[in-house]
Amino acid sequence: CKPNEVGFTDCYEIMELADKDWETEIMNRSKVKKYYSEYELMDILKYLIKTFALLQSNHITHRDIKPQNIMISNGKLKICDFGNARILKRNGIIIQRIRGSELFMSPIVFKGYRSGIQNIRHNAYKSDVYSLGICFFLAATLSYDGPNVIRLMNDMKKIKKALDYNLAKRYSQEMINMILIMLQVEESKRPDFLDLEILFP
């Protein structure tokens, strides 16, 4: 950090140069239909759950989880773009202006966004869980089609049917259920990252 010409302090975060972001990896796989194995996806999912659980245990919420903000460096996933991150109270409830990318917004945030509401009361950790669930649906299908369809669904039975339709040919019901839990529409029924870490150690 160093003082600038108007007396404020400029801070710079220096990070290693990543090879690519996760969206690029997913789209490259999509071009050649190289689907992730269940082992690969479960390994990625559990790693990211542990990473975000660590942030949550330190009262930090990311608020813009999407594949473009998950970098790949020497084969390892790394979280980036903490521009919307916030330190929260223990329960994660916030009332504030909408943050995030539309496709990856949790239902309550998306509803507010579509209604033009500026401030939404929601659990930011659980909203981040939903965003990660959308990321994994995208990674499992190698297509934005499925996520765009369920984005408009509010019925869990329909969401379950959509996940089964898109994933059952390649992945186990256990993995489909993991994604389904993360995509729970009703926030009070959706786990946060600390809950997920216990559910999927």
Side-chain angles (χ1 to χ4, degrees), residues 96-99 102 105-122 127 151 154 187:
Q96 64 175 57
R97 293 181 67 84
I98 292 172
R99 294 289 186 273
E102 183 176 343
M105 289 177 178
S106 67
I108 191 171
V109 176
F110 181 70
K111 182 179 179 181
Y113 171 77
R114 280 293 178 95
S115 303
I117 299 172
Q118 293 298 315
N119 295 302
I120 298 293
R121 185 181 190 276
H122 68 111
S127 290
R151 149 59 53 230
N154 292 309
E187 185 178 270

Side-chain angles (χ1 to χ4, degrees), residues 153-164:
M153 294 180 179
N154 292 309
D155 185 314
M156 288 306 299
K157 288 182 180 178
K158 290 182 179 179
I159 293 173
K160 172 70 163 62
K161 189 175 180 179
L163 289 179
D164 284 339

Side-chain angles (χ1 to χ4, degrees), residues 7 10 12 18 34 86 121 127 131-132 160 163 176 198:
D10 291 327
Y12 301 91
K34 185 182 178 182
R86 183 171 173 183
R121 185 181 190 276
S127 290
S131 300
L132 189 60
K160 172 70 163 62
L163 289 179
I176 293 171
I198 294 170

